[in-house]
Amino acid sequence: YQGSKSSIADSIISFLPKGKRFVDLFGGGFAMTECAIRSGKYEAFLYNEMNPLLPALIKKAINGDVNYNKFKPKFVSREEFDAKRKTDGYIAYIWSFGNNPEKRYMFAKDLEPKKKSLHNFVVFGIKDDYIKSHFDDIDKYVKGDDIYKRRILLGRYMKLKREKRLYQIEPITRLQQLEHLQQLQQLERLERLQQLERLQQLEIRNGSYLDYEYQDGDIVYCDPPYEGTAGYTGGFDSKQFYDWVMSRPYQVWFSSYQISDKRPKMVWAKGKSNLMAGASGQKQNYECIYTNM
């Protein structure tokens, strides 16, 4: 998910104080709430997200609807992605590049047919003409019925093929490697949500941060669209958000990079590498936490 906190969630949760309830008002891909649940620092949890597709997807994952034991994911084509990306959270965020459906489909046009062939072999065991002509010995390396393990074995098999140069393979760019890796990681995370403990203390809401009502013992954390970066579709009013934070009679913590408003106090910062920076490699940003008190 765009703006995901997966890589630094542990550090942020460790910094935030203990409390009765962890409140995640811009919940996004659920990374912060998931980390808070696993931390043992809180008794209850409120996950709120403005985009209705994400709460629906999180609920499906918690219910086990994306568990590989009963979920055999079919390959989603570019055409299906374009048709359903605004109504189906799974398609929008698992099959988009950077988990951003406003950006583009997961795979480049020239790679899509090959990715489909490999997907169908891993998930359904189908060996089409492309698989037979390029990977005739694939059955020796990619075995079993577990989809997750078959994905891992496929990655090892492809690496072995390249190292031994047993067939002519197109160069795989860093961006293409990240496309595959991020999709696998997101599917793993969704499947893992069903196994979380204390889910009965989790409340999931779809709404605006402006609708939140404070309860005694709440630890209020916000991860809004960052000032000067791509945000919500239709734009995000950072000034309104800062005014809201500073007008609260309770403490609010929020993440950002540099902000133009001088009122909030920066209390924490950590370097964060952006792996999607492009061909130039990693880009280092400093993730900061600000507060109103």
Side-chain angles (χ1 to χ4, degrees), residues 233-250:
T233 302
F236 180 76
D237 191 335
S238 294
K239 182 181 183 304
Q240 181 187 41
F241 173 72
Y242 300 147
D243 288 343
W244 176 85
V245 169
M246 298 309 300
S247 67
R248 298 305 91 190
Y250 48 85

Side-chain angles (χ1 to χ4, degrees), residues 2 224-232 257:
Q2 184 183 22
Y226 290 3
E227 185 179 348
T229 66
Y232 285 177
Y257 297 145

